[in-house]
Amino acid sequence: MKNLEIAQIFERMSKLLEIQGEIVFKIRAYERAAENIANLTEDIAKLREEKRLSEVGGLGTALQEKIGEYLDTGKIHAYEELIQKIPESLLDVMNVPSVGPKKAKLFFDELKIKDIEGLRKSADQGKLLELPGIQAKTVENILKGIKVLQAGQERMNLGVAVDLSDQIIAQLKKLKSVKKISVAGSLRRMKETIRDIDILVVSLDPQKVMDAFVSLPQVKSVNVHGETKSSILTNENIQVDLRVIDEKIFGAALLYFTGSKNFNVKLRQIAIKEHKKVSEYGIFSVKGDSEKTLASKTEEDCFQALGFPYIPPELREDIGEKELFGDEGFAKIKKVPSLLELEDIKGEWHVHSTYSDGHDTICAMAESARQRGYQYLAISDHSPRLRVAGGVSVEDLKKKKKEIDELNGGYKDFRILFGTEVEIDSDGNLDYNDKILSEFDIVIAAIHSGFEQSRDKLTRRLVKACSHKSVNAIAHPTGVHLGKRDPYDIDFKEVCKAAVDHNTYLEINAFPHRLDLNSAHVYFARSQGVRFVINTDAHRAEHMGLMKFGVAVARRGWLTKKDVVNTLSLSEMLKQIKK
Ligand SMILES: [Zn+2]
Ligand SMILES: [Zn+2]
């Protein structure tokens, strides 16, 4: 599929146009197209063949033609022209947090800075300070930003990793000789960001599996093509390793290659105390020079041989280490909590519709939620202050409420809730007045601007929002954008306290670019008595399928069903959220 390649080019074009100072409308058109294409579940070439490109939101004829051009020739002329004028590497410069298009252009025009290395040099040498409007604090932020960006580029978000591994596994499963297949590594632990993908296979014909693997359509280059291990680089420069494992030791290998490293070290230390040994080949008892295999075929057997209950991959992290191994580090957990499951989710509070920047109507969103077996869905569009996202005016709220009431008239076992994602302004005030806010079924409050405020001020904004009598939840509480923007600086403990004191829920935003709160935050907040809501922040119906990533974060944070409000039935949920 060429979807991602095209989305990437359109995204670059939007940014290059921004640097060039193009009109906002044109920039947004490319940006929206990029986002919508990246989120397509169908092959864009197929859509084009079937003349259905116009079904993709935001694709006018000009953009459709460019897609056709790329599919036919592998190039887009307008893009080639753009990068003649502006070096593409300026995009990296622009993407550095606290640089942006205007400064990138300024640096390029005045100092001929065209890549990150150049930016770093000029910052270090004090040259940036000579430019108008650039202060010492700006330079400091830019240097910090370069670090964030470079750390992010080495990792992909969980959504990308899961998509890619699903594709590869589906292709390998078609081979008759593949008996078992599983991801391992940080992907199996569902870490928020992933460096590379590990896959384990049981097969009677390893050579055939390896040959098939290195000739997958996703492969750009082959690093290793061995008999039991191969390693490839995909078109998106993602490394994928495949190992063929003997079925007899699959459990031990899976345990070993799933990690985390620290978790494995812990298991090994505990084993040594009991004269046992843990390796990728099994769990062994050791007496003098002789070793006896205790377990190796399944992970369950291996854990049992070490005296542990089965520990789900999401918990094999440093995050809950003390709960697993006690303060001294050598205790053994007796019982693992039964973690939240995707099937426990009964609805969600945070999706958008065409009333703000969503792609689908309220009706379409509700239908999709119903098909997922949900009992309710709150349509929480933006408030007016967020102009770029088409915040809903007070006038339009009435229309929206009426539409929801009418649709609800037709449902017996489902309810659309009248919601909002209301802006928290720079002083912690909300974007609708109290009377209007009291009319919503669900109010989630969010910060979308003023990230650079002081820790104290940002914390106070969130605390004030938590204490508002109509606010039910804080959306994406830390503002992180994985690989692009660090979380803003807040006293998270204070925010947790305010949330608990005022019966306000903290969101786990399931969108893979956010995953905010992350699992470490969740684990801490849980210890403070916080309760959670998991939302996808869907901007189109199919995004509601991203819920699994929010559930993964919740599991990594040790949450059970009772910690999460949207596992409750509609009536029970409405009862519990009363302030
Ligand atoms: Zn938001
Ligand atoms: Zn939102």
Side-chain angles (χ1 to χ4, degrees), residues 394-541:
V394 173
E395 205 37 55
D396 280 347
L397 280 181
K398 288 181 195 138
K399 220 173 104 196
K400 182 176 164 182
K401 176 80 169 67
K402 195 163 160 256
E403 189 176 330
I404 289 177
D405 287 345
E406 277 167 16
L407 284 165
N408 275 335
Y411 290 133
K412 274 204 194 85
D413 51 356
F414 182 82
R415 192 156 135 209
I416 304 170
L417 300 171
F418 180 44
T420 179
E421 178 179 13
V422 66
E423 290 298 297
I424 302 171
D425 79 5
S426 55
D427 295 316
N429 298 314
L430 302 178
D431 198 16
Y432 292 121
N433 68 37
D434 286 1
K435 171 150 189 318
I436 293 173
L437 286 171
S438 70
E439 285 161 14
F440 288 105
D441 298 313
I442 296 288
V443 174
I444 53 176
I447 288 181
H448 291 108
S449 62
F451 304 128
E452 65 299 320
Q453 282 181 328
S454 69
R455 177 184 173 94
D456 195 40
K457 217 159 176 209
L458 276 159
T459 306
R460 268 186 288 142
R461 282 166 83 184
L462 288 178
V463 167
K464 194 166 173 188
C466 279
S467 67
H468 191 283
K469 62 181 185 299
S470 293
V471 170
N472 301 110
I474 303 293
H476 39 75
T478 78
V480 69
H481 216 119
L482 294 172
K484 286 195 180 148
R485 189 172 70 220
D486 264 356
Y488 38 69
D489 189 15
I490 52 171
D491 184 339
F492 187 56
K493 195 170 175 183
E494 275 298 307
V495 175
C496 288
K497 185 172 180 305
V500 174
D501 288 349
H502 300 283
N503 194 26
T504 301
Y505 294 77
L506 295 189
E507 178 181 79
I508 298 173
N509 191 297
F511 218 86
H513 296 284
R514 289 197 180 268
L515 298 184
D516 176 12
L517 302 174
N518 67 24
S519 42
H521 280 122
V522 170
Y523 187 75
F524 174 79
R526 161 184 169 268
S527 75
Q528 305 294 299
V530 167
R531 298 192 63 214
F532 305 85
V533 59
I534 308 178
N535 297 314
T536 61
D537 204 349
H539 282 68
R540 51 198 316 146

Side-chain angles (χ1 to χ4, degrees), residues 107-131:
F107 297 161
F108 178 60
D109 290 346
E110 299 295 325
L111 298 171
K112 298 276 161 285
I113 292 174
K114 50 181 193 302
D115 53 28
I116 293 200
E117 225 10 76
L119 178 65
R120 191 207 315 270
K121 261 196 203 140
S122 299
D124 283 341
Q125 293 167 353
K127 283 191 187 155
L128 297 184
L129 280 171
E130 293 161 16
L131 297 174

Side-chain angles (χ1 to χ4, degrees), residues 210 213-214 224-226 228-232 240-243:
M210 288 302 165
F213 176 63
V214 299
V224 183
H225 182 181
T228 56
K229 192 198 155 180
S230 291
S231 177
I232 56 129
V240 186
D241 294 347
L242 180 75
R243 286 183 176 81

